[in-house]
Amino acid sequence: MRGRALAISLVVITACTTQTAPPRETLPDVAAVVAPPRSCAFTVGPAQGVAVNSTLAGTAAEGTLRAGDIIVAIDDVATPTDERLVEFMGGTEVGQEVAIEILREGVRQTVTLVLGSGVEETSAPMIGVTITTSYEDVAPEDVPVAGGLDGRYTRLALVGGDLFALDPIAPSVVALDLDAPELPWLAAGGILYRVEGTAPDSTIVGHDGSEVALPDNVSLIGLLGSLGDRLVAALEVANEGLRVAAVDPGSGSIVWEYAPPPDLGQPLGTISDAAASELILGLVPDGSDQPTFQVLSALDGSVLAATDDLTALAGGRAFGWFDDTSILGQGADSNLVLVDTVTGEVTPVSLPVPLRPELRMWAVGDGVHVLIQDGTTLISAGLGTDVETRPLIARCEIDYIDQIGTGRL
């Protein structure tokens, strides 16, 4: 089923339950009065216009526009998003007549109205509508099935128990004909891997039944992340101690290993850049919940940026690689910053939505976009004011979004 990404407003009236309810007449069919709840959907493709959610009484829109109309242009100026419509209105005046091109039930037509008319003593050139950018909705069951997406920034998304590859920049989505293993898992080289059993007898197993055969002198502590077609694991090496290592899952061989300084504590996880050339390593000191970070080379595990170079992130969070050299993160003071791992420069940044503790966020890696999960919604936003903020997944049970571009399976 396909539809439009429109906002729905409901009015709920409550009554005092301690009083006897008065007699009332039969109510009309509810479905004819209140739109049914909208189901889970991916919002794909470009913005299609500005949807009218409602018209305001006494304004020029009343009787001219109606809920469900899609405004596609005003005075021949295209309005694909609500931001573009608001921008256009900033250059108009009260009393100005405009021609509004709309789609009404799929039919294109033009209506005219005078801005601000019908409103007493208004200084704002208003149309008189509440609006939302309109996108094409695709239900999960209608998403085309494919082997994956080749986009550099593609993510795997587990939605309602089903696995999808999502390109947040296009944006586009395909369903993967694959039963995802139980979380947590990581994707590397086209296979989803998870840890089964408990240390020191735990093993790494792929969704295809393959098992990663680690060297005999190594015990698996846990998986930290993926790195292209390799896995990054925390290992206990006999007579050597804790190591962070890149593992070839096909052979089980250790490509490189890194010994984190003991005072930095236990490895928490890693985040690879889009080119699989560098990775962020998070560590938590013993007895603390304040993480520190390092940047390692994906080629040999050498330290490219130590904790002293990333003090702006100490005690905070790292949301991933914003571009090839900068990490998007949040310091202990909760301020959002970009940390350049080459120059050490720290740049305060802000988002178009308030950053609350319960939100999950990922940097896409293209130097523009971030992904933000707010409950059942995944949106794409940007650090620049000219970047479109739009939904990618709406009203869905979002089980998991992977950290790096691993949508090719």
Side-chain angles (χ1 to χ4, degrees), residues 11 39 60 96 111 116 165 185 190 225-226 231 245 290 298 305-306 327 332 335 408:
V11 177
S39 59
Q96 178 179 335
V111 299
W185 47 256
S226 57
L231 294 169
Q290 302 296 309
I327 299 173
N335 291 327
R408 182 187 299 177

Side-chain angles (χ1 to χ4, degrees), residues 355-367:
L355 185 58
R356 309 189 308 275
E358 63 270 24
L359 297 184
R360 299 188 64 205
M361 187 163 73
W362 303 262
V364 171
D366 64 335

Side-chain angles (χ1 to χ4, degrees), residues 1-2 4 8 36-43 137-141 393-397:
M1 179 180 68
R2 297 175 184 268
R4 305 280 184 177
I8 298 175
R38 302 184 63 227
S39 59
C40 167
F42 291 88
T43 60
D137 272 8
V138 181
E141 60 268 25
I393 303 175
R395 306 171 300 278
C396 296
E397 179 185 346

Side-chain angles (χ1 to χ4, degrees), residues 4 66 68-72 100-111:
R4 305 280 184 177
R66 65 179 70 160
D69 288 345
I70 307 295
I71 300 174
V72 296
I100 302 179
E101 190 173 349
I102 63 172
L103 285 173
R104 176 173 293 170
E105 298 179 350
V107 178
R108 189 177 294 264
Q109 56 185 279
T110 300
V111 299

Side-chain angles (χ1 to χ4, degrees), residues 94-253:
V94 173
Q96 178 179 335
E97 184 177 85
V98 294
I100 302 179
E101 190 173 349
I102 63 172
L103 285 173
R104 176 173 293 170
E105 298 179 350
V107 178
R108 189 177 294 264
Q109 56 185 279
T110 300
V111 299
T112 59
L113 53 77
V114 177
L115 299 178
S117 59
V119 182
E120 296 181 2
E121 299 180 359
T122 181
S123 58
M126 62 187 298
I127 295 174
V129 291
T130 60
I131 57 174
T132 307
T133 301
S134 175
Y135 302 92
E136 181 183 13
D137 272 8
V138 181
E141 60 268 25
D142 294 331
V143 172
V145 178
L149 295 173
D150 291 334
R152 184 181 184 188
Y153 307 107
T154 299
R155 306 301 171 103
L156 293 183
L158 189 62
V159 178
D162 295 322
L163 196 62
F164 300 87
L166 176 67
D167 184 338
I169 298 176
S172 58
V173 62
V174 297
L176 301 174
D177 190 13
L178 175 68
D179 292 330
E182 182 182 348
L183 287 168
W185 47 256
L186 294 168
I191 299 176
L192 307 182
Y193 292 95
R194 67 184 308 273
V195 175
E196 294 188 355
T198 56
D201 301 319
S202 55
T203 56
I204 304 172
V205 179
H207 78 269
D208 59 352
S210 60
E211 185 174 322
V212 180
L214 295 170
D216 293 338
N217 67 329
V218 166
S219 296
L220 174 68
I221 298 174
L223 288 177
L224 301 176
S226 57
L227 188 61
D229 59 358
R230 298 171 179 173
L231 294 169
V232 183
L235 307 174
E236 183 73 25
V237 180
N239 301 319
E240 295 183 15
L242 175 67
R243 296 292 185 269
V244 172
V247 178
D248 181 342
S251 64
S253 61

